[in-house]
Amino acid sequence: MKGEGSRTRLIGRERGYHGVNFGGISVGGIVTNRKMFGTLLTGVDHLPHTHLPGKNAFTKGEPEHGADLADELERIVTLHDASTIAAVIVEPVAGSTGVLIPPKGYLQRLRDICTKHGILLIFDEVITGFGRLGTPFAADYFGVIPDIITTAKGVSNGVIPMGAVFVKKEIHDAFMNGPEHLIEFFHGYTYSGNPIASAAAIATLDTYKEEGLLTRGAELAPYWEEALHSLKDAPHVIDIRNIGLVGAIELQPIAGQPTKRAFQAFVKAFERGALIRTTGDIIALSPPLIITKGQIDELIDHVREVLTMVD
Ligand SMILES: Cc1ncc(COP(=O)(O)O)c(C=O)c1O
């Protein structure tokens, strides 16, 4: 719409997750997904991931080391030329790969480099959106404003399918420039504006407001952090990280059998009545925004116990 049609490349990040649609797999960095689907979208490049356990293990909140990894974007721009790059997409906190928290200053650097080169910055806030970090969005938490935010899950409490995209005014206005009687987005989806999903989203937003849930994570975050890090001396634990109301416990993999130990923890926890989520050898915890301190204790006790039970 702006006449910059040569900008066709997308830049994602190693270990990123943006769903198992073709575009999402292409910009994503989850190897087991990528290797199944051939060459995917062309013209995509990837930033390095930001997981530096050698330097940042057991950090509470944002890690000290790694902001310079954002400078890799300059290298990618030098390789392809800015005039060919449309957008950079990252999860502000990478979720599905095992909760990778951005190093201090990292997102701001990405923002600055994108602005410098006229590249759009997209935050995939499907996990971080709607209160996960104790602020309405991760953009609020980090004070870094992207050009586009993708959301889902929290918008309807994750129980009715719905996704939504927010764009800054300039992007909106670039599209909304036709004659009144023409529809700007020529295509719709069958399920766009679905009435049940819309009703669920409106009800969810009302509940967030009434119960203060978009910021409740901030009140619980210190308690959550202490509880999580109390597992530091539990068996097999090689890293613990947290931010807002999300966190991860990384386990030493069993030699030659990656993921087995965490899977055992998942099964043992399930048998005890606690549903935890594992990804690789990482236990990723993202409890409901209504969790109580007592329930946090209960959850952490379960995890401590199961870690003594696994091989
Ligand atoms: C960051 C992120 N983006 C997108 C998605 C949604 O992908 P899909 O619609 O394919 O389930 C997820 C789901 O877990 C996610 O964590």
Side-chain angles (χ1 to χ4, degrees):
M1 302 306 283
K2 282 175 66 187
E4 294 183 35
S6 64
R7 291 186 184 266
T8 54
R9 290 184 186 279
L10 298 168
I11 311 299
R13 192 168 57 184
E14 295 165 357
R15 297 188 66 158
Y17 185 72
H18 304 288
V20 282
N21 56 85
F22 264 89
I25 298 173
S26 301
V27 292
I30 304 291
V31 182
T32 40
N33 294 338
R34 292 174 60 77
K35 73 177 184 184
M36 290 294 172
F37 292 98
T39 50
L40 304 167
L41 288 184
T42 57
V44 174
D45 211 336
H46 287 75
L47 287 160
H49 66 73
T50 63
H51 192 31
L52 302 173
K55 292 181 175 168
N56 290 326
F58 297 103
T59 296
K60 295 177 176 175
E62 294 167 78
E64 288 296 332
H65 304 282
D68 52 323
L69 290 166
D71 295 338
E72 283 292 303
L73 183 55
E74 286 284 14
R75 187 186 59 77
I76 291 172
V77 168
T78 307
L79 177 66
H80 299 296
D81 198 76
S83 64
T84 71
I85 302 175
V88 170
I89 180 166
V90 292
E91 303 157 86
V93 175
S96 298
T97 191
V99 189
L100 305 184
I101 294 149
K104 278 182 191 159
Y106 172 88
L107 292 173
Q108 185 60 52
R109 268 211 223 183
L110 276 190
R111 174 68 279 180
D112 293 345
I113 299 169
C114 284
T115 303
K116 178 175 149 197
H117 294 292
I119 297 168
L120 297 177
L121 179 61
I122 306 172
F123 279 178
D124 183 339
E125 294 228 29
V126 167
I127 285 184
T128 52
F130 298 100
R132 179 52 49 196
L133 304 187
T135 51
F137 292 89
D140 302 305
Y141 186 97
F142 296 109
V144 176
I145 309 301
D147 302 293
I148 300 178
I149 293 180
T150 60
T151 68
K153 299 195 203 290
V155 68
S156 55
N157 191 31
V159 293
I160 292 277
M162 189 177 215
V165 176
F166 310 147
V167 300
K168 69 176 182 185
K169 192 167 183 313
E170 292 95 299
I171 297 176
H172 170 272
D173 291 350
F175 284 91
M176 301 300 144
N177 59 6
E180 274 291 296
H181 65 282
L182 285 186
I183 295 169
E184 290 83 359
F185 281 125
F186 197 60
H187 274 283
Y189 289 109
T190 308
Y191 299 118
S192 294
N194 179 278
I196 294 179
S198 303
I202 290 167
T204 303
L205 296 180
D206 286 345
T207 303
Y208 285 151
K209 195 170 176 185
E210 282 157 23
E211 300 186 16
L213 295 179
L214 295 185
T215 50
R216 186 162 185 270
E219 292 159 33
L220 281 177
Y223 194 86
W224 171 247
E225 179 172 281
E226 285 315 308
L228 209 58
H229 282 268
S230 73
L231 293 169
K232 186 171 181 177
D233 298 322
H236 316 298
V237 175
I238 56 172
D239 186 20
I240 296 175
R241 38 192 188 266
N242 68 288
I243 192 165
L245 205 52
V246 62
I249 303 145
E250 185 151 356
L251 306 181
Q252 178 76 48
I254 297 174
Q257 294 179 303
T259 75
K260 189 175 176 187
R261 183 167 277 149
F263 183 70
Q264 284 179 357
F266 165 79
V267 173
K268 297 281 180 211
F270 188 74
E271 285 167 1
R272 294 169 59 97
L275 182 61
I276 60 172
R277 161 78 196 265
T278 61
T279 166
D281 274 296
I282 300 163
I283 298 172
L285 298 172
S286 182
L289 300 174
I290 56 168
I291 195 169
T292 62
K293 288 182 177 175
Q295 289 166 333
I296 290 175
D297 292 343
E298 212 178 313
L299 173 63
I300 298 297
D301 284 347
H302 276 302
V303 175
R304 184 179 289 107
E305 190 69 19
V306 300
L307 288 177
T308 64
M309 299 162 79
V310 296
D311 292 340

